[in-house]
Amino acid sequence: MDPALLRERELFQKRALSTPAVEKRPAASDSGSHKKKKPKVDKDSSGSKNSSETANGNINIKASSGYKFGCLAKIVNYMKTRHQNGDTHFLTLDEILDETKLLDISMKQKQWLMTEALVNNPKIEVRDGTYGFKPKYNLKDKKALLRLLDKHDQLGLGGVLLDDVEEGLPNAAKAIKALGDQIVFVTRPDKKKILFYNDKHCQFVVDEEFQKLWRSVPVDSIDEEKIEEYLKKQGISSMQETGPKKVMPVQKRKKQSGQRKRQFKTHNNHLAGVLEDYSDGVPAKK
């Protein structure tokens, strides 16, 4: 053993013997020899308390994040509503919070709205520290709507969703009603309405002789691929189907109803002429 450790051990023992030990006696109580018991600490209760505190912490975090995004949704909906009502001028964040009655948010949440939420929102436009609603089509009046539909018609882009028009055009219902038969409504299978430009230059009377010639050409026996091939040869491009294609269901293979007969090895081939087969029943007597 290390001699240094031995010397330290001896010195420790000497110090321990030289130091007197005083024993504390319990004080006499009025009730005699009854001793007070220390209350036991319930480990389960302390653990459940800590777990409840952590659970409350998680709930508070979730509640705070939910409150933040709830405030953002309220601001975007308010900006959309005021834009539809014709109030298109931009507002500062303090004005928005005042008009939406969100004056109890913290500075941290306000900073989040200014630096992240409103700046990165696709429906909000930021201009010199002020905020406004950003629709898909920014339309001022019914003439702007008619020009948009005419442009879509000329470029072959089709119609415009009514929801997008109502989002970007202030008082859209009044403007659409004023346009009358200059626009055409078409309802899609998903119940959404599409607006098309009604080009009245395409409304003309076709001569009856031309109609007869058109109807006299039989195309029932001609395949669509042949028609498309003929049009390509004539330099005419056919209209392609752009709608959603139906997915054909995969046919499952039918299971074989009858079980395969098990094949067994035949034995006693040398007795083929003597033995008889009784697998199909008793043979008839000859």
Side-chain angles (χ1 to χ4, degrees):
M1 194 171 179
D2 191 359
L5 293 175
L6 290 172
R7 282 197 299 272
E8 289 181 5
R9 181 171 175 272
E10 290 175 0
L11 291 172
F12 174 76
Q13 289 177 350
K14 288 179 181 180
R15 284 197 301 271
L17 291 172
S18 62
T19 303
V22 179
E23 184 180 357
K24 290 184 179 180
R25 293 182 180 180
S29 59
D30 296 336
S31 60
S33 62
H34 295 288
K35 295 181 180 180
K36 293 182 179 180
K37 294 182 179 180
K38 293 182 180 179
K40 293 183 179 179
V41 179
D42 192 358
K43 293 182 179 180
D44 296 337
S45 62
S46 62
S48 61
K49 185 178 180 182
N50 293 331
S51 63
S52 63
E53 287 177 357
T54 55
N56 290 333
N58 292 333
I59 291 170
N60 291 334
I61 292 170
K62 291 179 181 178
S64 62
S65 62
Y67 179 73
K68 282 198 309 183
F69 287 102
C71 292
L72 176 61
K74 187 174 182 180
I75 290 172
V76 174
N77 289 332
Y78 172 74
M79 298 299 286
K80 177 181 177 181
T81 303
R82 66 185 295 275
H83 183 89
Q84 291 173 337
N85 293 333
D87 297 331
T88 57
H89 61 279
F90 282 51
L91 300 175
T92 62
L93 182 58
D94 292 331
E95 291 173 341
I96 294 171
L97 295 177
D98 185 26
E99 294 187 13
T100 54
K101 297 180 181 179
L102 294 173
L103 301 174
D104 56 342
I105 65 172
S106 62
M107 287 299 298
K108 187 176 181 181
Q109 292 171 344
K110 187 176 179 181
Q111 189 70 18
W112 174 74
L113 288 171
M114 291 176 62
T115 58
E116 295 182 29
L118 295 176
V119 176
N120 298 325
N121 194 288
K123 291 297 180 183
I124 297 295
E125 183 180 355
V126 184
R127 188 187 298 170
D128 297 330
T130 57
Y131 305 90
F133 185 70
K134 185 180 179 181
K136 186 175 181 179
Y137 303 109
N138 195 3
L139 306 170
K140 294 182 180 180
D141 50 20
K142 61 181 181 180
K143 292 181 179 179
L145 172 60
L146 200 61
R147 285 196 298 270
L148 175 67
L149 295 176
D150 187 14
K151 181 180 177 182
H152 273 240
D153 182 62
Q154 294 294 331
L155 298 177
L157 300 176
V160 178
L161 275 170
L162 178 61
D163 294 341
D164 294 338
V165 173
E166 290 177 342
E167 181 185 75
L169 178 62
N171 304 315
K174 185 178 179 181
I176 291 171
K177 187 177 179 181
L179 290 174
D181 61 348
Q182 298 183 65
I183 56 177
V184 179
F185 284 93
V186 176
T187 305
R188 292 195 320 196
D190 58 357
K191 303 296 178 66
K192 290 190 176 183
K193 292 185 177 180
I194 314 294
L195 272 67
F196 289 89
Y197 177 69
N198 187 12
D199 191 358
K200 294 184 179 180
H201 292 89
C202 298
Q203 299 176 1
F204 54 88
V205 180
V206 181
D207 189 34
E208 290 186 3
E209 293 185 5
F210 182 80
Q211 293 182 26
K212 290 178 181 179
L213 290 172
W214 178 269
R215 291 167 183 166
S216 64
V217 179
V219 292
D220 296 337
S221 59
I222 303 176
D223 191 8
E224 290 185 2
E225 294 181 358
K226 292 182 179 179
I227 296 175
E228 186 176 356
E229 186 180 352
Y230 176 77
L231 292 174
K232 285 182 179 179
K233 289 180 180 179
Q234 302 299 323
I236 303 171
S237 60
S238 60
M239 184 176 179
Q240 301 295 327
E241 186 178 358
T242 57
K245 296 182 179 179
K246 294 182 179 180
V247 180
M248 297 297 292
V250 179
Q251 294 181 354
K252 296 182 178 180
R253 293 182 179 178
K254 294 182 179 180
K255 294 182 178 180
Q256 295 180 357
S257 58
Q259 295 182 353
R260 293 181 179 179
K261 293 183 178 180
R262 297 177 65 184
Q263 296 180 356
F264 298 94
K265 292 182 178 180
T266 56
H267 301 283
N268 300 329
N269 293 328
H270 60 286
L271 299 174
V274 179
L275 298 176
E276 294 184 3
D277 186 7
Y278 290 91
S279 59
D280 295 332
V282 181
K285 294 183 179 180
K286 295 179 182 179

